[in-house]
Amino acid sequence: MEINSLRELYIDQLRDLYDAENQLIKALPKMAKGATSDELREGIEEHLEQTKNQAQRLEQIFERFGEKPKGEKCKGMEGVIKEGSETLEKDMDDATKDAAIIAAAQRVEHYEIAGYGTARTYATLLGESEAAELLEETLDEEKKTDQKLTQLAEQINVEAVEGSDGEEGREEEAPPSRARSASGSRKKRAA
Ligand code: FE
Ligand code: FE
């Protein structure tokens, strides 16, 4: 298919984003399931609901064109998700696994931020102000999710460092300075 204008490129990019969101709707529950920190799991579950809404916003934009947003495969997101899931198949302790989930999730969010920033700018340039607003809403959600992941990483990555000496029962031995750590609410795994 030829792309002869910025408008066509814009629509092509929206289709790509739509496919990316739908891939995530399938992938996020698996990531949430793999998380051992309650805060991380709940954060991913919350973002899953946002993601469903983000896909609907794209459908809303396409309604104006009288078209369906399907038809494009987002190979970039496919690769990002595949890389994340391959890492998670490896054997890791709980905190390290949570750190790996955060690493994968932040790649996802950054990829989306790039895509939505571009699409929002195209919408503005093309005079599609309603679409620009919808895309901006999604962009904000992706940015906030990324920030939230950074906050969680500040606790979880430290726990992964401390856990990597193979010491068991670090939660019980946690000094007061770590009383608010994410592992405080980490579910216990069967040995
Ligand atoms: Fe999204
Ligand atoms: Fe997202």
Side-chain angles (χ1 to χ4, degrees), residues 21 24 47 51 54 109 112 116 138 142:
E21 297 293 11
L24 285 169
H47 194 55
T51 300
Q54 292 169 353
E109 295 315 313
E112 292 186 288
Y116 276 103
T138 298
E142 313 294 26

Side-chain angles (χ1 to χ4, degrees), residues 6 11 17 23-24 43 47 55 58 65 70 75 85 90 100 104 143 167-168 172-173 178 182 186 191:
L6 189 73
I11 293 171
L17 283 167
Q23 287 187 46
L24 285 169
H47 194 55
L58 291 166
F65 308 142
K70 288 184 176 145
K75 292 193 183 117
S85 67
K90 292 172 187 159
K143 285 180 182 169
E167 195 187 346
E168 288 295 324
E172 286 73 25
E173 290 163 22
R178 274 160 52 202
R186 179 163 286 133

Side-chain angles (χ1 to χ4, degrees), residues 95-153:
T96 305
K97 190 166 195 186
D98 283 349
I101 289 170
I102 292 173
Q106 286 200 286
R107 278 180 172 79
V108 166
E109 295 315 313
H110 279 246
Y111 192 83
E112 292 186 288
I113 289 165
Y116 276 103
T118 300
R120 186 267 333 263
T121 301
Y122 288 176
T124 305
L125 283 167
L126 295 164
E128 300 276 349
S129 57
E130 218 176 289
E133 258 175 59
L134 289 168
L135 295 168
E136 176 85 24
E137 271 180 62
T138 298
L139 182 61
D140 280 348
E141 286 173 359
E142 313 294 26
K143 285 180 182 169
K144 283 193 183 120
T145 301
D146 179 54
Q147 284 163 9
K148 203 171 160 189
L149 288 163
T150 297
Q151 279 171 14
L152 283 169

